[in-house]
Protein backbone atom coordinates (compact mmCIF):
# COMPACT_ATOMS: atom_id res chain seq x y z
CA UNK A 1 0.00 0.00 0.00
CA UNK A 2 0.98 3.62 -0.48
CA UNK A 3 2.49 5.55 2.42
CA UNK A 4 -0.62 7.69 3.02
CA UNK A 5 -2.54 4.51 3.93
CA UNK A 6 -0.38 4.07 7.03
CA UNK A 7 -0.84 7.69 8.07
CA UNK A 8 -4.57 6.95 8.14
CA UNK A 9 -4.16 3.65 10.00
CA UNK A 10 -1.88 5.19 12.66
CA UNK A 11 -4.36 7.63 14.31
CA UNK A 12 -7.26 5.20 13.89
CA UNK A 13 -5.39 2.55 15.91
CA UNK A 14 -4.51 5.08 18.62
CA UNK A 15 -8.16 6.18 18.93
CA UNK A 16 -9.45 2.58 18.98
CA UNK A 17 -7.00 1.61 21.72
CA UNK A 18 -7.94 4.62 23.84
CA UNK A 19 -11.71 4.10 23.58
CA UNK A 20 -11.97 0.29 23.69
CA UNK A 21 -9.65 -0.73 26.54
CA UNK A 22 -10.98 -0.53 30.11
CA UNK A 23 -9.61 2.42 32.03
CA UNK A 24 -7.61 0.27 34.47
CA UNK A 25 -5.80 -1.44 31.55
CA UNK A 26 -5.39 1.69 29.48
CA UNK A 27 -1.70 2.37 28.72
CA UNK A 28 -0.29 5.85 28.93
CA UNK A 29 -0.40 8.02 25.82
CA UNK A 30 3.38 7.69 25.55
CA UNK A 31 3.20 3.86 25.58
CA UNK A 32 0.28 3.91 23.10
CA UNK A 33 2.24 6.19 20.76
CA UNK A 34 5.37 4.02 20.87
CA UNK A 35 3.49 0.74 20.46
CA UNK A 36 1.47 2.13 17.56
CA UNK A 37 4.70 3.25 15.83
CA UNK A 38 6.08 -0.27 16.10
CA UNK A 39 2.80 -1.85 14.94
CA UNK A 40 2.50 0.43 11.88
CA UNK A 41 6.13 -0.25 10.88
CA UNK A 42 5.54 -4.02 11.14
CA UNK A 43 2.27 -3.70 9.20
CA UNK A 44 4.09 -1.73 6.49
CA UNK A 45 6.74 -4.45 6.18
CA UNK A 46 4.18 -7.29 6.02
CA UNK A 47 1.85 -5.65 3.48
CA UNK A 48 4.61 -4.44 1.17
CA UNK A 49 6.15 -7.92 1.06
CA UNK A 50 2.89 -9.48 -0.14
CA UNK A 51 3.18 -10.73 -3.72
CA UNK A 52 -0.11 -9.13 -4.79
CA UNK A 53 0.99 -5.68 -3.55
CA UNK A 54 4.38 -6.04 -5.23
CA UNK A 55 2.60 -6.90 -8.50
CA UNK A 56 0.44 -3.79 -8.15
CA UNK A 57 3.53 -1.63 -7.56
CA UNK A 58 5.21 -3.11 -10.63
CA UNK A 59 2.11 -2.55 -12.76
CA UNK A 60 1.91 1.04 -11.57
CA UNK A 61 5.47 1.56 -12.86
CA UNK A 62 4.42 0.11 -16.22
CA UNK A 63 1.44 2.47 -16.42
CA UNK A 64 3.75 5.39 -15.71
CA UNK A 65 6.02 4.36 -18.55
CA UNK A 66 3.08 4.20 -20.98
CA UNK A 67 2.05 7.67 -19.81
CA UNK A 68 5.59 8.92 -20.46
CA UNK A 69 5.31 7.69 -24.07
CA UNK A 70 2.41 10.08 -24.62
CA UNK A 71 3.82 13.01 -22.63
CA UNK A 72 7.32 12.73 -24.12
CA UNK A 73 6.01 13.19 -27.65
CA UNK A 74 4.13 16.36 -26.67
CA UNK A 75 6.85 18.99 -26.09
CA UNK A 76 4.62 21.82 -24.66
CA UNK A 77 2.95 19.41 -22.24
CA UNK A 78 6.35 17.99 -21.28
CA UNK A 79 7.79 21.46 -20.57
CA UNK A 80 4.77 22.40 -18.46
CA UNK A 81 5.04 19.15 -16.50
CA UNK A 82 8.76 19.70 -15.88
CA UNK A 83 8.23 23.29 -14.72
CA UNK A 84 5.44 22.39 -12.30
CA UNK A 85 7.49 19.45 -11.02
CA UNK A 86 10.51 21.69 -10.39
CA UNK A 87 8.44 24.27 -8.49
CA UNK A 88 6.89 21.55 -6.32
CA UNK A 89 10.28 19.91 -5.73
CA UNK A 90 11.96 23.12 -4.58
CA UNK A 91 8.99 24.01 -2.37
CA UNK A 92 9.10 20.55 -0.77
CA UNK A 93 12.81 20.77 0.03
CA UNK A 94 12.49 24.27 1.54
CA UNK A 95 9.40 23.31 3.55
CA UNK A 96 10.93 20.25 5.19
CA UNK A 97 14.31 21.90 5.86
CA UNK A 98 12.63 24.87 7.58
CA UNK A 99 10.26 22.56 9.46
CA UNK A 100 13.08 20.42 10.86
CA UNK A 101 15.00 23.50 11.98
CA UNK A 102 11.96 25.21 13.52
CA UNK A 103 10.66 22.16 15.40
CA UNK A 104 14.16 21.24 16.66
CA UNK A 105 14.64 24.76 18.00
CA UNK A 106 11.17 24.79 19.59
CA UNK A 107 11.59 21.45 21.36
CA UNK A 108 15.06 22.39 22.57
CA UNK A 109 13.87 25.77 23.81
CA UNK A 110 10.89 24.55 25.86
CA UNK A 111 12.97 21.72 27.40
CA UNK A 112 10.31 20.23 29.72
CA UNK A 113 11.04 16.81 31.21
CA UNK A 114 7.59 15.31 30.78
CA UNK A 115 6.18 12.64 28.50
CA UNK A 116 5.06 15.14 25.82
CA UNK A 117 8.65 16.23 25.26
CA UNK A 118 9.95 12.67 25.17
CA UNK A 119 7.37 11.92 22.49
CA UNK A 120 8.35 15.13 20.71
CA UNK A 121 11.96 13.98 20.38
CA UNK A 122 10.88 10.54 19.14
CA UNK A 123 8.48 12.18 16.71
CA UNK A 124 11.20 14.57 15.58
CA UNK A 125 13.58 11.67 14.88
CA UNK A 126 10.87 9.97 12.78
CA UNK A 127 10.14 13.27 11.02
CA UNK A 128 13.83 13.86 10.25
CA UNK A 129 14.11 10.32 8.83
CA UNK A 130 11.11 10.94 6.54
CA UNK A 131 12.44 14.38 5.62
CA UNK A 132 15.86 13.01 4.63
CA UNK A 133 14.18 10.42 2.38
CA UNK A 134 11.85 13.03 0.86
CA UNK A 135 14.60 15.59 0.26
CA UNK A 136 16.99 12.98 -1.18
CA UNK A 137 14.29 11.65 -3.51
CA UNK A 138 13.29 15.17 -4.54
CA UNK A 139 16.87 16.23 -5.34
CA UNK A 140 17.45 13.00 -7.26
CA UNK A 141 14.27 13.58 -9.29
CA UNK A 142 15.33 17.14 -10.08
CA UNK A 143 18.82 16.06 -11.17
CA UNK A 144 17.32 13.31 -13.32
CA UNK A 145 14.94 15.80 -14.92
CA UNK A 146 17.83 18.12 -15.82
CA UNK A 147 19.84 15.25 -17.34
CA UNK A 148 16.86 13.97 -19.32
CA UNK A 149 15.04 17.19 -20.18
CA UNK A 150 13.87 15.56 -23.40
CA UNK A 151 13.66 11.78 -22.84
CA UNK A 152 14.59 9.37 -25.59
CA UNK A 153 11.52 7.40 -26.60
CA UNK A 154 11.48 3.95 -28.19
CA UNK A 155 10.14 3.59 -31.72
CA UNK A 156 6.38 3.53 -32.26
CA UNK A 157 6.31 -0.24 -32.80
CA UNK A 158 7.88 -0.89 -29.41
CA UNK A 159 5.49 1.59 -27.79
CA UNK A 160 2.48 -0.23 -29.23
CA UNK A 161 3.83 -3.63 -28.18
CA UNK A 162 4.58 -2.45 -24.68
CA UNK A 163 1.18 -0.76 -24.33
CA UNK A 164 -0.56 -3.97 -25.39
CA UNK A 165 1.54 -5.90 -22.89
CA UNK A 166 0.49 -3.51 -20.11
CA UNK A 167 -3.18 -3.84 -21.08
CA UNK A 168 -3.01 -7.64 -20.91
CA UNK A 169 -0.98 -7.90 -17.68
CA UNK A 170 -3.18 -5.90 -15.31
CA UNK A 171 -3.37 -7.63 -11.87
CA UNK A 172 -6.88 -8.60 -10.80
CA UNK A 173 -6.78 -6.48 -7.65
CA UNK A 174 -5.13 -3.42 -9.17
CA UNK A 175 -8.31 -1.37 -9.65
CA UNK A 176 -9.43 -2.13 -6.09
CA UNK A 177 -5.92 -1.30 -4.90
CA UNK A 178 -6.01 2.02 -6.75
CA UNK A 179 -9.47 2.93 -5.41
CA UNK A 180 -8.34 2.16 -1.87
CA UNK A 181 -5.24 4.29 -2.48
CA UNK A 182 -7.39 7.23 -3.60
CA UNK A 183 -9.67 6.93 -0.56
CA UNK A 184 -6.80 6.61 1.91
CA UNK A 185 -4.98 9.55 0.27
CA UNK A 186 -8.06 11.76 0.65
CA UNK A 187 -8.39 10.80 4.32
CA UNK A 188 -4.65 11.35 4.83
CA UNK A 189 -4.88 14.85 3.34
CA UNK A 190 -7.94 15.61 5.50
CA UNK A 191 -6.30 14.31 8.69
CA UNK A 192 -3.05 16.09 7.83
CA UNK A 193 -4.59 19.50 7.10
CA UNK A 194 -6.85 19.31 10.17
CA UNK A 195 -3.88 18.41 12.37
CA UNK A 196 -1.73 21.15 10.83
CA UNK A 197 -4.45 23.73 11.52
CA UNK A 198 -4.72 22.42 15.09
CA UNK A 199 -0.95 22.80 15.56
CA UNK A 200 -1.04 26.39 14.29
CA UNK A 201 -3.91 27.14 16.68
CA UNK A 202 -1.95 25.72 19.63
CA UNK A 203 1.25 27.54 18.64
CA UNK A 204 -0.45 30.95 18.53
CA UNK A 205 -3.12 30.69 21.23
CA UNK A 206 -1.47 28.67 24.04
CA UNK A 207 1.62 29.70 25.96
CA UNK A 208 1.77 26.56 28.14
CA UNK A 209 4.82 24.47 27.38
CA UNK A 210 2.81 21.25 27.33
CA UNK A 211 0.49 22.71 24.69
CA UNK A 212 3.50 23.70 22.57
CA UNK A 213 4.78 20.14 22.88
CA UNK A 214 1.43 18.84 21.63
CA UNK A 215 1.53 21.39 18.80
CA UNK A 216 4.93 20.04 17.70
CA UNK A 217 3.56 16.49 17.46
CA UNK A 218 0.51 17.70 15.52
CA UNK A 219 2.71 19.66 13.12
CA UNK A 220 5.02 16.69 12.48
CA UNK A 221 2.17 14.27 11.80
CA UNK A 222 0.11 16.79 9.82
CA UNK A 223 3.02 17.71 7.53
CA UNK A 224 3.83 14.11 6.62
CA UNK A 225 0.20 13.01 6.30
CA UNK A 226 -0.67 15.95 4.01
CA UNK A 227 2.50 15.52 1.90
CA UNK A 228 2.08 11.79 1.30
CA UNK A 229 -1.67 12.18 0.85
CA UNK A 230 -1.22 14.75 -1.94
CA UNK A 231 1.60 12.76 -3.53
CA UNK A 232 -0.34 9.48 -3.47
CA UNK A 233 -3.59 11.08 -4.61
CA UNK A 234 -1.88 12.54 -7.69
CA UNK A 235 -0.24 9.22 -8.62
CA UNK A 236 -3.47 7.25 -8.00
CA UNK A 237 -5.55 9.63 -10.12
CA UNK A 238 -2.92 9.35 -12.86
CA UNK A 239 -3.19 5.56 -12.62
CA UNK A 240 -6.97 5.81 -12.97
CA UNK A 241 -6.66 8.07 -16.01
CA UNK A 242 -4.06 5.79 -17.59
CA UNK A 243 -6.31 2.77 -17.06
CA UNK A 244 -9.15 4.48 -18.92
CA UNK A 245 -6.81 5.54 -21.72
CA UNK A 246 -5.50 2.01 -22.15
CA UNK A 247 -9.03 0.62 -22.18
CA UNK A 248 -9.90 2.94 -25.07
CA UNK A 249 -6.88 1.96 -27.18
Amino acid sequence: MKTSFYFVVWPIIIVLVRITLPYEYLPSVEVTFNMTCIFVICLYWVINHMLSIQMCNLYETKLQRVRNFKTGSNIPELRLKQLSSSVLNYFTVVYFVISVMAITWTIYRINVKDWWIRIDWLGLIIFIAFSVVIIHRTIRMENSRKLHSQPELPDSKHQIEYTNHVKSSEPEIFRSYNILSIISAIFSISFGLFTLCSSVYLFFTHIQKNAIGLACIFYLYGSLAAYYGIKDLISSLQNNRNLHRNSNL
Side-chain angles (χ1 to χ4, degrees), residues 87-145:
V87 172
L88 181 60
N89 288 342
Y90 287 125
F91 173 81
T92 300
V93 170
V94 172
Y95 177 84
F96 279 97
V97 169
I98 293 177
S99 296
V100 168
M101 295 172 61
I103 297 299
T104 303
W105 179 81
T106 301
I107 295 176
Y108 176 78
R109 181 174 61 86
I110 58 180
N111 193 28
V112 179
K113 302 299 182 182
D114 63 7
W115 62 271
W116 272 124
I117 306 307
R118 292 198 295 273
I119 288 184
D120 282 350
W121 282 111
L122 175 60
L124 179 62
I125 292 172
I126 296 173
F127 185 75
I128 290 175
F130 273 100
S131 298
V132 169
V133 172
I134 291 170
I135 293 171
H136 177 264
R137 183 183 300 163
T138 302
I139 294 175
R140 186 179 61 187
M141 288 173 56
E142 189 63 20
N143 291 335
S144 177
R145 184 195 66 78

Coordinates of all heavy atoms in Angstrom, one line a residue, residues 87-145:
V87 N 9.0 23.4 -9.5 CA 8.4 24.3 -8.5 C 8.0 23.5 -7.3 O 8.4 23.9 -6.1 CB 7.2 25.1 -9.1 CG1 6.6 25.9 -7.9 CG2 7.7 26.0 -10.2
L88 N 7.3 22.4 -7.5 CA 6.9 21.6 -6.3 C 8.1 20.9 -5.6 O 8.1 20.9 -4.4 CB 6.0 20.5 -6.8 CG 5.4 19.5 -5.8 CD1 4.6 20.3 -4.7 CD2 4.5 18.4 -6.4
N89 N 9.1 20.5 -6.3 CA 10.3 19.9 -5.7 C 11.0 20.9 -4.8 O 11.4 20.6 -3.7 CB 11.2 19.4 -6.8 CG 10.7 18.1 -7.5 OD1 9.8 17.5 -7.0 ND2 11.2 17.8 -8.6
Y90 N 11.2 22.1 -5.4 CA 12.0 23.1 -4.6 C 11.2 23.5 -3.3 O 11.7 23.7 -2.3 CB 12.3 24.4 -5.4 CG 13.4 24.1 -6.5 CD1 13.1 24.4 -7.8 CD2 14.6 23.7 -6.1 CE1 14.2 24.1 -8.7 CE2 15.6 23.4 -7.0 CZ 15.4 23.7 -8.3 OH 16.4 23.5 -9.2
F91 N 9.8 23.7 -3.5 CA 9.0 24.0 -2.4 C 9.1 22.9 -1.3 O 9.1 23.2 -0.1 CB 7.5 24.2 -2.8 CG 6.6 24.4 -1.7 CD1 6.4 25.6 -1.1 CD2 5.8 23.3 -1.2 CE1 5.5 25.8 0.0 CE2 4.9 23.5 -0.2 CZ 4.8 24.8 0.4
T92 N 9.0 21.7 -1.7 CA 9.1 20.5 -0.8 C 10.4 20.6 0.0 O 10.4 20.4 1.3 CB 9.0 19.2 -1.5 OG1 7.7 19.2 -2.2 CG2 9.0 18.0 -0.6
V93 N 11.5 20.7 -0.7 CA 12.8 20.8 0.0 C 12.9 21.9 1.0 O 13.2 21.7 2.2 CB 14.0 20.9 -1.0 CG1 15.3 21.2 -0.3 CG2 14.1 19.7 -1.8
V94 N 12.5 23.1 0.6 CA 12.5 24.3 1.5 C 11.6 24.1 2.7 O 11.9 24.3 3.9 CB 12.1 25.6 0.8 CG1 11.9 26.7 1.7 CG2 13.1 25.9 -0.3
Y95 N 10.4 23.5 2.5 CA 9.4 23.3 3.6 C 9.9 22.4 4.6 O 9.9 22.7 5.8 CB 8.1 22.8 3.0 CG 7.0 22.4 4.0 CD1 6.2 23.4 4.5 CD2 6.9 21.2 4.5 CE1 5.2 23.2 5.5 CE2 6.0 20.9 5.5 CZ 5.1 21.9 6.0 OH 4.2 21.6 6.9
F96 N 10.5 21.2 4.2 CA 10.9 20.3 5.2 C 12.2 20.7 5.9 O 12.4 20.4 7.1 CB 11.1 18.9 4.5 CG 9.8 18.1 4.4 CD1 9.1 18.2 3.2 CD2 9.3 17.4 5.5 CE1 7.9 17.5 3.1 CE2 8.1 16.8 5.4 CZ 7.4 16.8 4.2
V97 N 13.1 21.4 5.2 CA 14.3 21.9 5.9 C 13.9 22.9 6.9 O 14.4 22.8 8.1 CB 15.3 22.5 4.8 CG1 16.4 23.3 5.5 CG2 15.9 21.5 3.9
I98 N 13.1 23.9 6.6 CA 12.6 24.9 7.6 C 11.9 24.2 8.7 O 12.1 24.6 9.9 CB 11.8 25.9 6.9 CG1 12.6 26.8 5.9 CG2 11.1 26.9 7.9 CD1 11.8 27.8 5.1
S99 N 11.0 23.2 8.4 CA 10.3 22.6 9.5 C 11.2 21.8 10.5 O 11.0 21.9 11.7 CB 9.3 21.6 8.8 OG 8.3 22.2 8.0
V100 N 12.1 21.1 10.0 CA 13.1 20.4 10.9 C 13.8 21.4 11.8 O 13.9 21.2 13.0 CB 14.1 19.6 10.0 CG1 15.2 19.1 10.9 CG2 13.4 18.4 9.4
M101 N 14.3 22.5 11.2 CA 15.0 23.5 12.0 C 14.1 24.2 13.0 O 14.5 24.3 14.2 CB 15.6 24.6 11.1 CG 16.7 24.0 10.1 SD 17.2 25.3 8.9 CE 17.8 26.6 9.9
A102 N 12.9 24.5 12.6 CA 12.0 25.2 13.5 C 11.5 24.3 14.7 O 11.5 24.7 15.8 CB 10.7 25.7 12.7
I103 N 11.1 23.1 14.4 CA 10.7 22.2 15.4 C 11.8 21.8 16.3 O 11.6 21.7 17.6 CB 10.0 20.9 14.8 CG1 8.8 21.3 14.0 CG2 9.6 19.9 15.8 CD1 7.7 22.0 14.8
T104 N 13.0 21.5 15.8 CA 14.2 21.2 16.7 C 14.4 22.4 17.6 O 14.6 22.1 18.8 CB 15.4 21.0 15.8 OG1 15.1 19.9 14.9 CG2 16.6 20.6 16.7
W105 N 14.4 23.6 17.1 CA 14.6 24.8 18.0 C 13.5 24.9 19.1 O 13.8 25.2 20.2 CB 14.7 26.0 17.1 CG 14.9 27.3 18.0 CD1 16.1 27.7 18.4 CD2 13.9 28.2 18.4 NE1 15.9 28.9 19.1 CE2 14.6 29.2 19.1 CE3 12.5 28.3 18.2 CZ2 13.9 30.3 19.7 CZ3 11.9 29.3 18.8 CH2 12.5 30.3 19.5
T106 N 12.3 24.7 18.7 CA 11.2 24.8 19.6 C 11.2 23.8 20.7 O 11.1 24.1 21.9 CB 9.8 24.6 18.8 OG1 9.7 25.6 17.8 CG2 8.7 24.8 19.8
I107 N 11.5 22.5 20.3 CA 11.6 21.5 21.4 C 12.8 21.7 22.3 O 12.7 21.5 23.5 CB 11.7 20.1 20.7 CG1 10.4 19.8 19.9 CG2 12.0 19.0 21.7 CD1 10.5 18.5 19.1
Y108 N 13.9 22.1 21.7 CA 15.1 22.4 22.6 C 14.8 23.6 23.5 O 15.2 23.6 24.7 CB 16.3 22.7 21.7 CG 17.5 23.1 22.5 CD1 18.3 22.1 23.1 CD2 17.9 24.4 22.6 CE1 19.4 22.5 23.8 CE2 19.0 24.8 23.3 CZ 19.8 23.8 23.9 OH 20.9 24.2 24.6
R109 N 14.1 24.6 23.0 CA 13.9 25.8 23.8 C 12.9 25.5 25.0 O 13.2 26.0 26.1 CB 13.3 26.9 22.9 CG 13.0 28.2 23.6 CD 12.6 29.3 22.6 NE 11.4 28.9 22.0 CZ 10.1 29.1 22.4 NH1 10.0 29.8 23.6 NH2 9.1 28.8 21.7
I110 N 11.8 24.8 24.8 CA 10.9 24.6 25.9 C 11.5 23.6 26.9 O 11.2 23.8 28.1 CB 9.5 24.1 25.3 CG1 9.7 22.8 24.6 CG2 8.9 25.1 24.5 CD1 8.3 22.3 24.0
N111 N 12.2 22.6 26.5 CA 13.0 21.7 27.4 C 12.2 21.3 28.7 O 12.7 21.6 29.8 CB 14.3 22.4 27.8 CG 15.3 21.5 28.4 OD1 15.2 20.3 28.2 ND2 16.1 22.0 29.2
V112 N 11.1 20.7 28.6 CA 10.3 20.2 29.7 C 10.5 18.7 29.8 O 10.3 18.0 28.9 CB 8.8 20.6 29.6 CG1 8.0 20.1 30.8 CG2 8.7 22.1 29.4
K113 N 10.8 18.2 31.0 CA 11.0 16.8 31.2 C 9.7 16.1 31.5 O 9.5 15.5 32.6 CB 12.0 16.6 32.4 CG 13.4 17.3 32.1 CD 14.1 16.9 30.9 CE 15.4 17.6 30.7 NZ 16.1 17.1 29.4
D114 N 8.8 16.1 30.6 CA 7.6 15.3 30.8 C 7.4 14.4 29.6 O 8.2 14.4 28.6 CB 6.4 16.2 31.0 CG 6.1 17.1 29.8 OD1 6.7 17.0 28.8 OD2 5.2 18.0 29.9
W115 N 6.3 13.6 29.6 CA 6.2 12.6 28.5 C 5.9 13.3 27.2 O 6.2 12.7 26.1 CB 5.1 11.7 28.9 CG 3.7 12.2 29.0 CD1 3.2 12.7 30.2 CD2 2.7 12.4 28.0 NE1 1.9 13.2 29.9 CE2 1.6 13.0 28.6 CE3 2.7 12.1 26.7 CZ2 0.4 13.3 27.9 CZ3 1.5 12.3 25.9 CH2 0.4 12.9 26.6
W116 N 5.3 14.5 27.1 CA 5.1 15.1 25.8 C 6.4 15.4 25.1 O 6.5 15.2 23.9 CB 4.3 16.5 26.0 CG 2.8 16.4 26.0 CD1 2.0 16.8 27.0 CD2 2.0 15.8 25.0 NE1 0.7 16.5 26.7 CE2 0.7 15.9 25.5 CE3 2.3 15.1 23.8 CZ2 -0.4 15.4 24.8 CZ3 1.2 14.6 23.1 CH2 -0.1 14.8 23.6
I117 N 7.4 15.9 25.9 CA 8.6 16.2 25.3 C 9.4 15.0 24.8 O 10.1 15.0 23.8 CB 9.5 17.1 26.2 CG1 8.7 18.3 26.7 CG2 10.8 17.5 25.6 CD1 8.1 19.1 25.6
R118 N 9.3 13.9 25.6 CA 10.0 12.7 25.2 C 9.3 12.2 23.9 O 10.0 11.7 23.0 CB 9.8 11.6 26.3 CG 10.6 12.0 27.5 CD 10.9 10.8 28.4 NE 9.6 10.2 28.9 CZ 9.0 10.7 30.1 NH1 9.6 11.6 30.8 NH2 7.9 10.1 30.5
I119 N 8.0 12.3 23.7 CA 7.4 11.9 22.5 C 7.8 12.9 21.4 O 8.0 12.5 20.2 CB 5.8 11.9 22.6 CG1 5.4 10.7 23.5 CG2 5.2 11.8 21.3 CD1 3.9 10.6 23.6
D120 N 7.9 14.2 21.7 CA 8.4 15.1 20.7 C 9.7 14.7 20.1 O 9.9 14.8 18.9 CB 8.5 16.5 21.3 CG 7.1 17.2 21.5 OD1 6.2 16.7 21.0 OD2 7.1 18.2 22.2
W121 N 10.6 14.3 20.9 CA 12.0 14.0 20.4 C 11.9 12.7 19.5 O 12.5 12.6 18.5 CB 13.0 13.8 21.5 CG 13.5 15.1 22.1 CD1 13.2 15.6 23.3 CD2 14.3 16.1 21.4 NE1 13.8 16.9 23.4 CE2 14.5 17.2 22.3 CE3 14.8 16.1 20.1 CZ2 15.2 18.3 21.9 CZ3 15.6 17.3 19.8 CH2 15.8 18.3 20.7
L122 N 11.1 11.7 20.0 CA 10.9 10.5 19.1 C 10.2 10.9 17.8 O 10.6 10.5 16.8 CB 10.0 9.5 19.9 CG 9.7 8.2 19.1 CD1 10.9 7.5 18.7 CD2 8.8 7.3 20.0
G123 N 9.2 11.7 17.9 CA 8.5 12.2 16.7 C 9.4 13.0 15.8 O 9.3 12.8 14.6
L124 N 10.3 13.8 16.4 CA 11.2 14.6 15.6 C 12.2 13.7 14.8 O 12.5 13.9 13.7 CB 12.0 15.6 16.5 CG 13.0 16.4 15.7 CD1 12.3 17.3 14.7 CD2 13.7 17.3 16.7
I125 N 12.7 12.6 15.5 CA 13.6 11.7 14.9 C 12.9 11.0 13.7 O 13.5 10.9 12.6 CB 14.1 10.6 15.9 CG1 15.0 11.3 16.9 CG2 14.8 9.5 15.2 CD1 15.3 10.4 18.1
I126 N 11.6 10.6 13.9 CA 10.9 10.0 12.8 C 10.7 11.0 11.7 O 10.9 10.7 10.5 CB 9.5 9.5 13.3 CG1 9.7 8.4 14.3 CG2 8.6 9.0 12.1 CD1 8.4 7.9 15.0
F127 N 10.4 12.2 12.0 CA 10.1 13.3 11.0 C 11.4 13.6 10.2 O 11.4 13.7 9.0 CB 9.7 14.5 11.7 CG 9.3 15.7 10.8 CD1 8.1 15.6 10.1 CD2 10.1 16.8 10.6 CE1 7.8 16.6 9.2 CE2 9.8 17.8 9.8 CZ 8.6 17.7 9.1
I128 N 12.6 13.6 10.9 CA 13.8 13.9 10.2 C 14.1 12.7 9.3 O 14.6 13.0 8.2 CB 15.0 14.0 11.3 CG1 14.8 15.3 12.0 CG2 16.3 14.0 10.6 CD1 15.8 15.5 13.2
A129 N 13.9 11.5 9.7 CA 14.1 10.3 8.8 C 13.3 10.4 7.6 O 13.8 10.3 6.4 CB 13.8 9.0 9.6
F130 N 12.0 10.8 7.7 CA 11.1 10.9 6.5 C 11.6 12.1 5.7 O 11.6 12.0 4.5 CB 9.7 11.2 7.0 CG 8.9 9.9 7.2 CD1 8.6 9.4 8.5 CD2 8.3 9.3 6.1 CE1 7.9 8.3 8.7 CE2 7.6 8.1 6.3 CZ 7.3 7.6 7.6
S131 N 12.0 13.2 6.4 CA 12.4 14.4 5.6 C 13.7 14.1 4.8 O 13.8 14.6 3.7 CB 12.7 15.5 6.6 OG 11.5 15.9 7.3
V132 N 14.6 13.4 5.4 CA 15.9 13.0 4.6 C 15.5 12.2 3.4 O 16.0 12.5 2.3 CB 16.8 12.2 5.5 CG1 18.0 11.6 4.7 CG2 17.4 13.1 6.6
V133 N 14.6 11.2 3.5 CA 14.2 10.4 2.4 C 13.5 11.3 1.3 O 13.8 11.2 0.1 CB 13.2 9.3 2.8 CG1 12.6 8.6 1.6 CG2 14.0 8.3 3.7
I134 N 12.6 12.2 1.8 CA 11.8 13.0 0.9 C 12.8 14.0 0.1 O 12.7 14.1 -1.1 CB 10.8 13.8 1.6 CG1 9.7 12.9 2.1 CG2 10.2 14.9 0.8 CD1 8.7 13.5 3.1
I135 N 13.7 14.6 0.9 CA 14.6 15.6 0.3 C 15.6 14.9 -0.7 O 15.8 15.4 -1.8 CB 15.4 16.3 1.4 CG1 14.4 17.2 2.2 CG2 16.5 17.2 0.8 CD1 15.0 17.9 3.4
H136 N 16.1 13.7 -0.3 CA 17.0 13.0 -1.2 C 16.3 12.6 -2.5 O 16.8 12.7 -3.6 CB 17.5 11.8 -0.5 CG 18.4 10.9 -1.3 ND1 17.9 9.8 -2.0 CD2 19.7 11.0 -1.6 CE1 18.9 9.2 -2.6 NE2 20.0 9.9 -2.4
R137 N 15.1 12.1 -2.3 CA 14.3 11.7 -3.5 C 14.0 12.8 -4.4 O 14.0 12.8 -5.6 CB 13.0 11.0 -3.1 CG 12.2 10.4 -4.2 CD 10.9 9.8 -3.6 NE 11.2 8.7 -2.7 CZ 10.3 8.2 -1.9 NH1 9.1 8.8 -1.8 NH2 10.6 7.2 -1.1
T138 N 13.6 14.0 -3.8 CA 13.3 15.2 -4.5 C 14.5 15.7 -5.3 O 14.4 16.0 -6.5 CB 12.8 16.3 -3.6 OG1 11.6 15.8 -2.9 CG2 12.4 17.5 -4.4
I139 N 15.6 15.8 -4.7 CA 16.9 16.2 -5.3 C 17.3 15.3 -6.5 O 17.6 15.7 -7.6 CB 18.0 16.4 -4.3 CG1 17.7 17.5 -3.3 CG2 19.3 16.7 -5.0 CD1 18.7 17.6 -2.2
R140 N 17.1 14.0 -6.2 CA 17.4 13.0 -7.3 C 16.5 13.2 -8.5 O 17.0 13.1 -9.6 CB 17.3 11.6 -6.7 CG 17.8 10.5 -7.6 CD 17.7 9.1 -7.0 NE 16.3 8.8 -6.6 CZ 15.9 7.8 -5.9 NH1 16.9 6.9 -5.4 NH2 14.7 7.6 -5.6
M141 N 15.2 13.4 -8.2 CA 14.3 13.6 -9.3 C 14.6 14.8 -10.1 O 14.5 14.8 -11.3 CB 12.9 13.7 -8.7 CG 12.3 12.4 -8.2 SD 10.7 12.6 -7.4 CE 9.7 13.5 -8.7
E142 N 15.0 15.9 -9.4 CA 15.3 17.1 -10.1 C 16.6 17.0 -10.9 O 16.7 17.5 -12.1 CB 15.5 18.3 -9.1 CG 15.7 19.6 -9.6 CD 14.4 20.1 -10.4 OE1 13.3 19.5 -10.2 OE2 14.5 21.0 -11.2
N143 N 17.6 16.3 -10.4 CA 18.8 16.1 -11.2 C 18.5 15.2 -12.4 O 19.1 15.4 -13.5 CB 19.9 15.4 -10.3 CG 20.4 16.3 -9.2 OD1 20.4 17.5 -9.4 ND2 20.9 15.8 -8.1
S144 N 17.7 14.2 -12.2 CA 17.3 13.3 -13.3 C 16.6 14.1 -14.4 O 16.8 13.9 -15.6 CB 16.5 12.1 -12.8 OG 16.0 11.3 -13.9
R145 N 15.7 15.0 -14.0 CA 14.9 15.8 -14.9 C 15.9 16.7 -15.8 O 15.7 16.8 -17.0 CB 13.9 16.7 -14.2 CG 13.0 17.5 -15.1 CD 12.3 18.6 -14.3 NE 13.2 19.6 -13.9 CZ 13.8 20.5 -14.6 NH1 13.5 20.6 -15.9 NH2 14.6 21.4 -14.1

